[in-house]
Amino acid sequence: MAIFRSHVLVCGGTGCTSSKSDLIRKRFEEKIKEVNLDKEVQVIGTGCFGLCEQGPIVIVYPEGSFYSRMTIDRVDEIVKEHLLKGRIVDKYLYKEKVTKEDLAEAEHKSLMDVEFYKKQKRVALRNCGVINPENIKEYIARDGYMALGKVLTEMKPNEVIDFIKASGIRGRGGAGFPTGMKWSFAAPNKADQKYIICNADEGDPGAFMDRSVLEGDPHAVLEAMAIAGYAIGATKGFIYVRAEYPIAVHRLHIAIDQARELGLLGKNIFDSGFDFDIETRLGAGAFVCGEETALMQSIEGKRGMSKIKPPFPANKGLWGKPSVINNVETLANIPQIINNGVDWFRSFGTAKSPGTKVFALGGKINNTGLVEVPMGTTLREVIYDIGGGCPNGKEFKAVQTGGPSGGCLTKEHLDTPIDYENLGAVGSMMGSGGMIVMDEDNCMVDIARFFLDFTVDESCGKCTPCRLGTKRMLEILERITEGKGTMEDLDELEELASSVKDSSLCGLGQTAPNPVLSTLRYFKDEYIAHVVDKKCPAKHCKSLLTFEINKDKCVGCTLCARNCPVKAIEGKVKNPHVINQDLCTKCGNCYNVCKFGAVEKN
Ligand SMILES: Cc1cc2nc3c(=O)[nH]c(=O)nc-3n(C[C@H](O)[C@H](O)[C@H](O)COP(=O)(O)O)c2cc1C
Ligand code: SF4
Ligand code: SF4
Ligand code: SF4
Ligand code: FES
């Protein structure tokens, strides 16, 4: 095998690919060849590094130099200076997002020195940004398929289940059900066929953890599915992945082909007599299809609608056969638990929620991206130490966890250690790992409206409380944000929320009221301000705002008037301007363009 003195890792995750990292990689390859370094320097396309907001990202080893926001134009200089002459190009290295004065000191040369990574523990993301996901040998070089080998040659199926049970791992897809227990329900069932299903539907707005694992380390999921298959006696697996994830689908197909070629999928794996093969099924991107009974209907070629449980999938799942359905991130943990042991896995996280959790950190936060932390890490650590707090000096207001099924938490909850119980106890939930940070400019009533709008769109329509109840709730929220709400509306909203929660058939309807209930619980004063004072305290809800020009600040530059789409602004050059409130549509253009802060929102 060729040995290279340097490796150039170019991120090939969806985020970086969308900002042309594939062309950057090509340019590196061309340029390296041009300067005759292609025998010494290898270029590798990887999965996501995590700090997507700074993408496209390029890391050069052995130094670990972390080049962020790369462009094609910068490649030639990095090849000439860094790779040819050994001089790191400081000006293109990632800089911490701190005050300008500290910038010089904050320069980093190595990836692992960066604040964003310091508190992280990468287990599910262990290989993402490290290996070429399109080359099975790179996975194998990182102990890939060792766990499958160990399980098939040294362990009985029930021993595998006991091992996973002892690790205490809980499903990362939302509900946190113990994985070993789920496998143990399916194992004793007799059937001519059983199935392992990987749930890669990932429908939560803002979530992209599962996509990143599939893009960056697809073999980990295949290996885990084969292990689960052996444990419960299944010979066939399906990966249900949404069609909007073309890079993940492409890499999964490459990975499945390569694993089959090496005999790691297919007949008689490791000469153990165990057969297991995997197919993909593409979902059309309906949120409800992430719910396990709807997902199985969809695989069967039917319309994805939830069904009553029981029967549970472990007894009667896909085509009526015993099936285990696990989330991508859950599966990505499995081979490492087998390789490293139960004590290792339990050495981080909390007693009831061992291990780590991956979060897609987004919203009003400096370092948006993918973060994996030990369970028990506090929200404050994630938001401030890793995420770098809110941008532009704005004040943190709330954090939404668990997507449309979760809730909004406040400053008072910042020291809550993250695990399933703690988040549930304060009215939110872990969910699949979306974490959206909000600052003082976010209106909490509007946030509740946003999530409910999503639920109304995504409800499968099978049961009345969810189909109609969420719609009525949305109408009330819309009225409130338009300044037309009443105090009775607030009572009705609360009442409807609890009946939708209690009487819906599946998890979608049962959790849909959570964003409303949590905002009512922690931000009731904002609801009251909308209803009673007809004001939006965050100055976000357009119907409740007026745009006015402060004549003392206005210098008469005319910019606002030129940008007003309805010609509502009048004034002469170098004279204070005035807004005609009857014409103003509250589009906010004048507010955004005025360089003198003269346009005020009231
Ligand atoms: C409306 C709804 C959407 C869901 N979407 C997902 C999803 O996108 N991915 C996922 O793994 N689980 C999702 N779940 C949870 C799954 O139904 C199921 O519990 C999970 O895939 C089991 O895997 P785990 O035990 O490894 O977490 C969803 C549940 C509901 C009610
Ligand atoms: S709760 Fe909503 S999504 Fe679930 S079955 Fe009923 S209508 Fe469909
Ligand atoms: S853009 Fe600002 S400063 Fe210029 S005219 Fe309008 S309000 Fe006055
Ligand atoms: S908010 Fe929009 S419509 Fe109103 S004055 Fe400003 S630019 Fe014109
Ligand atoms: S996609 Fe490149 S860092 Fe996430």
Side-chain angles (χ1 to χ4, degrees):
M1 204 171 87
I3 296 192
F4 294 90
R5 74 163 162 85
S6 188
H7 289 91
V8 177
L9 272 55
V10 183
C11 179
T14 290
C16 291
T17 303
S18 65
S19 37
K20 302 204 167 47
S21 68
D22 47 344
L23 298 182
I24 290 169
R25 183 175 150 198
K26 225 165 120 210
R27 183 68 194 155
F28 264 113
E29 282 164 354
E30 285 165 7
K31 195 68 198 168
I32 284 169
K33 199 150 193 205
E34 212 178 290
V35 296
N36 287 325
L37 281 181
D38 50 320
K39 302 266 172 338
E40 292 179 42
V41 180
Q42 191 181 28
V43 182
I44 298 164
T46 70
C48 171
F49 288 95
L51 199 48
C52 311
E53 192 257 339
Q54 287 288 324
I57 285 175
V58 170
I59 314 279
V60 180
Y61 285 108
E63 300 87 347
S65 308
F66 180 8
Y67 292 110
S68 60
R69 297 197 196 264
M70 271 298 292
T71 59
I72 297 167
D73 300 345
R74 293 175 177 182
V75 172
D76 294 12
E77 201 176 340
I78 290 178
V79 172
K80 265 196 351 228
E81 287 298 310
H82 189 157
L83 299 174
L84 203 57
K85 299 179 191 157
R87 294 198 287 238
I88 294 169
V89 190
D90 277 358
K91 64 183 172 188
Y92 299 148
L93 289 177
Y94 169 73
K95 317 249 180 336
E96 298 283 8
K97 275 198 183 164
V98 285
T99 53
K100 288 224 165 63
E101 300 85 79
D102 298 338
L103 237 134
E105 270 181 40
E107 286 185 5
H108 280 284
K109 293 206 163 77
S110 159
L111 179 70
M112 285 308 149
D113 285 338
V114 168
E115 290 295 328
F116 181 76
Y117 294 101
K118 274 186 186 163
K119 286 205 167 171
Q120 295 200 43
K121 166 92 190 150
R122 287 162 84 87
V123 177
L125 299 179
R126 166 179 179 266
N127 287 329
C128 293
V130 177
I131 62 166
N132 173 359
E134 297 184 11
N135 183 350
I136 191 170
K137 288 183 186 158
E138 296 212 1
Y139 180 66
I140 291 171
R142 301 263 298 168
D143 294 338
Y145 290 101
M146 289 275 284
L148 180 61
K150 180 176 173 185
V151 159
L152 295 186
T153 54
E154 294 172 25
M155 294 169 87
K156 296 200 175 70
N158 64 326
E159 287 171 350
V160 179
I161 293 179
D162 288 344
F163 203 85
I164 297 300
K165 262 190 186 167
S167 76
I169 182 169
R170 299 169 63 171
R172 305 297 197 237
F177 192 81
T179 306
M181 193 113 81
K182 191 185 274 190
W183 294 10
S184 75
F185 293 153
N189 291 328
K190 299 266 174 287
D192 54 352
Q193 181 70 62
K194 296 185 191 179
Y195 297 104
I196 298 294
I197 302 165
C198 168
N199 188 345
D201 193 53
E202 195 163 60
D204 290 25
F208 57 97
M209 302 79 48
D210 295 346
R211 185 189 74 204
S212 299
V213 170
L214 293 176
E215 287 176 354
D217 197 15
H219 286 286
V221 174
L222 305 186
E223 183 180 7
M225 288 175 73
I227 293 170
Y230 175 70
I232 72 151
T235 56
K236 178 101 204 172
F238 286 100
I239 302 175
Y240 186 83
V241 51
R242 52 177 49 220
E244 292 108 315
Y245 285 181
I247 299 177
V249 173
H250 175 69
R251 294 197 181 142
L252 270 174
H253 287 163
I254 292 175
I256 292 171
D257 286 347
Q258 290 182 348
R260 277 188 194 140
E261 232 165 78
L262 294 190
L264 298 165
L265 285 178
K267 298 261 177 232
N268 194 21
I269 302 169
F270 285 114
D271 272 337
S272 63
F274 172 64
D275 305 338
F276 190 79
D277 213 341
I278 296 176
E279 285 181 39
T280 54
R281 286 288 179 274
L282 303 196
F287 179 57
V288 73
C289 285
E291 196 282 332
E292 51 196 24
T293 58
L295 186 153
M296 290 186 294
Q297 300 252 88
S298 179
I299 293 184
E300 289 174 13
K302 301 176 192 141
R303 180 175 164 189
M305 284 177 116
S306 304
K307 287 211 266 192
I308 291 178
K309 287 187 279 189
F312 289 97
N315 301 322
K316 260 182 144 213
L318 197 56
W319 290 293
K321 309 290 182 188
S323 307
V324 155
I325 178 160
N326 275 133
N327 164 262
V328 171
E329 189 188 331
T330 316
L331 291 166
N333 276 280
I334 299 291
Q336 291 176 71
I337 296 176
I338 304 277
N339 283 336
N340 300 319
V342 165
D343 293 341
W344 166 81
F345 189 70
R346 282 190 170 277
S347 70
F348 36 87
T350 61
K352 283 188 176 169
S353 303
T356 57
K357 178 76 194 90
V358 184
F359 292 99
L361 194 56
K364 306 283 186 63
I365 185 107
N366 272 314
N367 300 329
T368 52
L370 211 59
V371 168
E372 182 170 2
V373 286
M375 299 268 194
T377 303
T378 63
L379 286 166
R380 188 186 300 280
E381 287 173 292
V382 174
I383 293 165
Y384 286 95
D385 299 348
I386 297 172
C390 298
N392 309 318
K394 295 274 179 181
E395 209 179 312
F396 166 85
K397 181 169 185 180
V399 56
Q400 215 275 352
T401 68
S405 315
C408 296
L409 302 175
T410 70
K411 272 183 207 157
E412 284 158 41
H413 303 111
L414 279 173
D415 293 313
T416 308
I418 302 167
D419 73 2
Y420 295 94
E421 279 75 23
N422 286 338
L423 291 183
V426 288
S428 187
M429 66 184 286
M430 182 86 83
S432 57
M435 195 181 271
I436 301 169
V437 178
M438 286 163 259
D439 70 10
E440 54 195 284
D441 294 338
N442 285 104
C443 165
M444 301 315 289
V445 185
D446 191 60
I447 292 291
R449 189 203 55 76
F450 167 81
F451 280 106
L452 218 64
D453 192 37
F454 176 83
T455 323
V456 167
D457 270 355
E458 298 291 332
S459 164
C460 84
K462 187 170 180 173
C463 57
T464 321
C466 171
R467 187 181 66 245
L468 295 181
T470 54
K471 182 113 183 70
R472 294 289 94 85
M473 287 170 70
L474 178 63
E475 285 165 2
I476 297 176
L477 285 166
E478 280 170 351
R479 274 209 296 280
I480 297 174
T481 55
E482 285 163 8
K484 298 176 191 151
T486 62
M487 287 307 280
E488 290 75 50
D489 276 337
L490 293 190
D491 295 337
E492 199 183 327
L493 191 60
E494 209 152 0
E495 228 176 276
L496 261 173
S498 44
S499 60
V500 170
K501 204 174 160 79
D502 293 342
S503 52
S504 289
L505 188 147
C506 85
L508 192 149
Q510 287 157 6
T511 58
N514 284 351
V516 177
L517 287 170
S518 64
T519 46
L520 272 171
R521 182 165 160 192
Y522 298 123
F523 299 94
K524 186 104 181 215
D525 51 339
E526 276 194 43
Y527 279 87
I528 293 173
H530 283 73
V531 169
V532 178
D533 311 330
K534 305 295 174 201
K535 286 273 170 216
C536 171
K539 298 191 177 170
H540 174 89
C541 295
K542 283 200 173 142
S543 309
L544 301 175
L545 287 181
T546 48
F547 287 88
E548 281 160 325
I549 293 175
N550 180 334
K551 65 177 178 6
D552 296 334
K553 287 191 185 166
C554 175
V555 299
C557 71
T558 75
L559 195 59
C560 56
R562 283 182 277 134
N563 279 281
C564 175
V566 292
K567 309 259 174 280
I569 305 179
E570 285 174 6
K572 292 203 178 108
V573 185
K574 294 192 182 159
N575 284 306
H577 283 43
V578 180
I579 295 176
N580 180 341
Q581 297 298 337
D582 294 335
L583 293 179
C584 174
T585 58
K586 302 178 184 182
C587 71
N589 274 4
C590 52
Y591 181 83
N592 294 332
V593 296
C594 178
K595 296 191 178 82
F596 302 92
V599 182
E600 291 171 357
K601 276 189 205 175
N602 294 309

